[in-house]
Amino acid sequence: MDFECIETWLELPEFRVTGQVMRPHDLELHLERRDTDLVCPRCQGSCARIKEGRQRCIRDLPILERPVTLRLHLGRLKCSDCHHRPWEQSETFGERVKWTERLYHQVRQEYLHGCPCHELASRYGLSARTVFRWTFEKSHGGRPRKLGRALGIDEYSRRKGHCYNTIIVDLDKGRPITTFKGRRVEDVVAWFKSRPQAELDGVKVVVLDMSKSFYSSIHQVFGDQVEVIDRFHVVQQAVGALDGVLRSIKTQLEPEEAKELKKLRKRWLKLPNQLEVDELMARADWRRRFPELREVIDWVQDLRKWFERKYDKPARAALWKLIEQARESALEPLQSVAGTLSRWFEPIARYIRHRYTNGMTEGFNNKIKLIQRRAFGLRNEHNRKRRILADCART
């Protein structure tokens, strides 16, 4: 077959056909890049070709009723200035793609119009599993899910170190919407800006932790009326103040008493009906000996009861009263918590009206850690996203 005719049929101006191998059941075409010159990505100098090379096999539409395999020959170049040795790159095909876009769309279109799976697999030289995956699994994983009324946003680590991804969850439907690389303001804003305006207008609640980057991102996209701080992180701040007071008390005790105090740490915030008689007596004794411990425990208990309130206006007044009480305290940990709660007063108070928490998002984070640990790491970001969205949607 004439090479010029094949090049016209393939519609790949970046490559030229250098050879063909026609077998009884398939056709193999060898391609090379027309342009042999390459600019060095480091110093912008000129590169020269060296003998080293590699091949890539890509599926394409049949020719003369034979499945076609494109065998791309990519050479390696060497920069004469900085001695960098880059590989030739293809603008037509992605870095890891193994089929052409027209083959992918043709198979999906015929399958969705009723053509049997095994017939398509035989015609295009694919497996039946690949035809099914292209039509359903890949389209499901690639189709963006719509934003719901209430969203949860959080971060998770994709590897050791400061390498984080962001996950966004639909709290009403109980499934993750997407996960993407990065947690900075520009990363989150760029993803939300890519969504249709009609979806953005339907978002009424976004639950987040006390992350300044997430808060700034949501504020830029939705304004300052949708942010809700997760109640767990508010109580966590209060429990941190309790731990600070306990540490200061331990310095005043003998080692044996300090060890006994540490054993009671999980029992400070339990209800009386959840403790044994001896535990109640021990807790009452410690509260009597240390008034600062009694003060901070009572304050934390009042803060936890605040989340059970039902009406917005009395709840706001009660929360402000708790903040003033902590601010006037002589304990430094309580004063620190008072400053934090006053800065996040509005997003915390909105919990009474909306009653959403980020517990579901935190649960997905734990499952993501399990997925990554079980897979010994997922380096490909596309595969990571598909695996997370598929596994977490089943829960």
Side-chain angles (χ1 to χ4, degrees):
M1 188 183 299
D2 187 9
F3 286 175
E4 293 185 358
C5 179
I6 296 177
E7 291 174 0
T8 304
W9 179 275
L10 294 178
E11 298 179 353
L12 300 174
E14 187 182 2
F15 297 93
R16 59 184 179 89
V17 180
T18 60
Q20 61 175 337
V21 179
M22 186 175 294
R23 302 187 183 92
H25 301 291
D26 66 334
L27 175 62
E28 185 177 287
L29 301 177
H30 294 258
L31 307 179
E32 287 185 356
R33 293 182 73 252
R34 296 181 182 272
D35 190 5
T36 58
D37 298 330
L38 182 68
V39 177
C40 179
R42 288 187 178 179
C43 66
Q44 306 302 317
S46 60
C47 298
R49 182 184 291 271
I50 58 179
K51 292 184 178 180
E52 188 177 357
R54 62 183 180 185
Q55 298 181 6
R56 290 183 57 192
C57 294
I58 298 178
R59 293 281 188 179
D60 199 1
L61 286 174
I63 297 178
L64 300 179
E65 298 183 356
R66 286 183 172 87
V68 173
T69 301
L70 305 178
R71 192 172 292 274
L72 273 60
H73 296 265
L74 300 176
R76 197 166 193 176
L77 308 175
K78 182 177 181 180
C79 179
S80 58
D81 297 332
C82 67
H83 304 290
H84 179 49
R85 298 171 55 177
W87 287 95
E88 289 182 321
Q89 300 294 329
S90 171
E91 298 179 0
T92 306
F93 304 106
E95 184 177 356
R96 295 183 177 86
V97 69
K98 295 183 179 180
W99 57 83
T100 60
E101 285 293 326
R102 55 185 177 184
L103 174 63
Y104 167 68
H105 291 297
Q106 181 71 20
V107 171
R108 290 190 70 244
Q109 183 178 6
E110 292 188 19
Y111 193 20
L112 292 174
H113 280 78
C115 186
C117 182
H118 64 277
E119 182 179 335
L120 288 174
S122 176
R123 182 189 310 167
Y124 295 109
L126 305 170
S127 66
R129 172 62 181 168
T130 300
V131 174
F132 181 84
R133 179 171 55 86
W134 284 5
T135 308
F136 295 102
E137 292 185 5
K138 190 174 189 305
S139 63
H140 179 73
R143 183 174 63 249
R145 299 174 179 177
K146 294 183 179 181
L147 300 180
R149 178 184 179 276
L151 304 179
I153 184 171
D154 203 359
E155 63 189 20
Y156 66 90
S157 175
R158 65 176 183 269
R159 59 181 299 180
K160 290 183 178 180
H162 297 282
C163 302
Y164 292 92
N165 281 16
T166 299
I167 181 172
I168 299 177
V169 176
D170 189 332
L171 298 179
D172 289 328
K173 294 184 179 180
R175 67 176 188 179
I177 296 175
T178 188
T179 173
F180 54 87
K181 196 173 182 179
R183 60 171 180 175
R184 298 178 298 178
V185 176
E186 52 268 26
D187 299 328
V188 180
V189 171
W191 187 87
F192 276 113
K193 291 296 186 181
S194 66
R195 310 301 303 156
Q197 187 61 39
E199 292 186 17
L200 297 179
D201 294 340
V203 176
K204 303 301 180 183
V205 180
V206 180
V207 186
L208 64 156
D209 55 12
M210 297 180 183
S211 170
K212 294 182 180 179
S213 61
F214 284 155
Y215 183 84
S216 178
S217 307
I218 301 304
H219 182 78
Q220 290 186 33
V221 178
F222 300 103
D224 58 352
Q225 299 297 322
V226 300
E227 299 90 347
V228 176
I229 299 297
D230 182 31
R231 61 178 291 178
F232 168 79
H233 293 85
V234 179
V235 178
Q236 187 183 42
Q237 293 285 330
V239 175
L242 174 60
D243 290 337
V245 174
L246 287 175
R247 284 192 297 269
S248 64
I249 292 176
K250 285 180 182 179
T251 59
Q252 310 171 22
L253 301 175
E254 297 295 331
E256 292 297 330
E257 287 188 322
K259 186 176 181 180
E260 190 67 26
L261 180 64
K262 185 178 180 180
K263 292 181 180 179
L264 294 173
R265 193 264 181 195
K266 295 183 178 179
R267 303 184 178 95
W268 294 119
L269 300 178
K270 288 188 176 181
L271 297 176
N273 57 1
Q274 297 175 335
L275 298 175
E276 300 293 338
V277 177
D278 55 344
E279 294 175 344
L280 282 172
M281 295 177 62
R283 188 171 69 174
D285 182 57
W286 284 103
R287 287 168 58 94
R288 183 174 62 254
R289 289 178 58 185
F290 298 96
E292 62 269 29
L293 181 60
R294 181 174 65 251
E295 178 185 357
V296 69
I297 289 177
D298 292 342
W299 188 87
V300 175
Q301 291 284 20
D302 292 340
L303 180 64
R304 293 176 65 187
K305 292 178 181 177
W306 178 85
F307 288 97
E308 301 174 3
R309 290 179 172 268
K310 297 182 180 180
Y311 302 104
D312 183 66
K313 190 173 180 180
R316 287 174 176 269
L319 178 60
W320 193 253
K321 183 178 180 180
L322 285 173
I323 293 175
E324 290 294 332
Q325 180 182 348
R327 187 175 295 168
E328 296 173 358
S329 173
L331 302 176
E332 184 177 352
L334 279 182
Q335 296 176 3
S336 177
V337 173
T340 302
L341 298 186
S342 61
R343 288 192 299 270
W344 298 96
F345 180 84
E346 284 297 328
I348 294 173
R350 292 194 193 104
Y351 169 82
I352 302 299
R353 186 185 309 122
H354 300 292
R355 299 287 174 176
Y356 283 100
T357 69
N358 240 4
M360 188 179 299
T361 309
E362 298 291 347
F364 286 138
N365 275 354
N366 290 334
K367 188 162 187 178
I368 290 171
K369 293 178 183 178
L370 178 62
I371 292 171
Q372 296 185 144
R373 190 184 309 116
R374 192 168 52 196
F376 291 93
L378 293 168
R379 296 188 177 183
N380 187 293
E381 196 63 34
H382 175 69
N383 292 340
R384 183 200 309 273
K385 179 179 178 180
R386 288 185 56 195
R387 181 70 175 271
I388 290 173
L389 295 184
D391 286 9
C392 294
R394 301 192 192 107
T395 57

